[in-house]
Amino acid sequence: MVPNAKDVGTITIRKGMNSRPVAEPVTLLMCSANTDGATAVVLCSKEKARQYTTNPVRMRAWSGASPMYRKDRFLDLLGPTELIAKQAYEQAGIGPEDVNVAQVHDAFSPGEIFHIEDLGLCPMGEGGRFVWEGNTDLGGKCPVNTDGGLVGRGHPIGATGGAQIFELVSQLRGQCGQRQVENCEVALAQNDGGGGSNIFILTI
């Protein structure tokens, strides 16, 4: 059972590492809490959007796929992120080096490491070092999960993808206050699970 957020308080590295083991090396405070929630994302033509806002956000690319099995890599059962990331980058006409901010599906804290590698935000096998050196922090090379991610906000399953999109739209519009990424023009959302994997690239 995941403890109530108000009982946990601020989660420091020490507190996270020393919480009850779940599946080594993952501990209880590295796991997101399943929560209730709902989201909605409105998509429309560029012309229609301009009737309602002077600050529209454009969906440059979407790529999705169902889970796949590879004997050499169990994690691909959760989604073929590496494959669809390449497709999304090609659709958008950009590369991972162009992404200013990303939201990734970190239902468990190690997920951030796996996903940033699959997305090409850092070299394969170097995700842990990349995170540890602060590259995914606010002000780093590519800030990731600027709203705290699933561990920070909870995981309302079907609504999680919508929450990611909301955060990225807010970043692109410069509406994130203290967690705002400077010069944010390209944003990427990666969301997956047992049913499939999806990647969206948004721009202003």
Side-chain angles (χ1 to χ4, degrees), residues 3-200:
N4 189 300
K6 68 180 181 181
D7 298 328
V8 174
T10 300
I11 300 177
T12 62
I13 292 177
R14 182 181 298 275
K15 186 183 289 187
M17 295 294 290
N18 292 336
S19 63
R20 178 170 64 82
V22 173
E24 191 178 4
V26 177
T27 68
L28 183 65
L29 293 181
M30 297 179 191
C31 305
S32 64
N34 286 349
T35 60
D36 293 326
T39 58
V41 175
V42 178
L43 294 175
C44 62
S45 68
K46 179 170 61 176
E47 293 72 25
K48 179 60 70 174
R50 292 195 182 281
Q51 293 179 23
Y52 298 97
T53 179
T54 58
N55 198 12
V57 169
R58 180 182 176 195
M59 187 173 79
R60 285 278 296 275
W62 165 75
S63 185
S66 56
M68 57 195 295
Y69 174 73
R70 278 170 43 185
K71 288 173 64 176
D72 64 324
R73 193 155 186 213
F74 171 76
L75 281 174
D76 275 356
L77 284 170
L78 296 178
T81 301
E82 186 178 5
L83 172 66
I84 63 174
K86 291 177 181 177
Q87 295 173 348
Y89 291 137
E90 185 175 342
Q91 285 180 35
I94 65 168
E97 68 279 0
D98 298 309
V99 176
N100 302 130
V101 62
Q103 287 281 109
V104 302
H105 188 102
D106 64 339
F108 308 95
S109 293
E112 178 177 331
I113 294 171
F114 302 136
H115 295 316
I116 62 173
E117 291 182 1
D118 284 342
L119 292 167
L121 300 178
C122 69
M124 279 290 180
E126 297 184 19
R129 181 185 299 276
F130 191 79
V131 171
W132 185 254
E133 291 176 347
N135 293 299
T136 60
D137 293 348
L138 199 61
K141 289 182 179 178
C142 183
V144 174
N145 291 352
T146 46
D147 63 350
L150 280 67
V151 174
R153 90 169 99 75
H155 186 12
I157 313 297
T160 288
Q164 291 180 321
I165 296 296
F166 175 79
E167 173 66 12
L168 295 181
V169 167
S170 299
Q171 286 286 352
L172 291 167
R173 288 178 169 168
Q175 298 171 337
C176 287
Q178 292 185 341
R179 67 177 190 277
Q180 180 64 47
V181 174
E182 293 185 10
N183 303 315
C184 187
E185 297 182 354
V186 180
L188 180 148
Q190 178 274 336
N191 192 14
D192 67 14
S197 184
N198 292 276
I199 291 175
F200 296 87

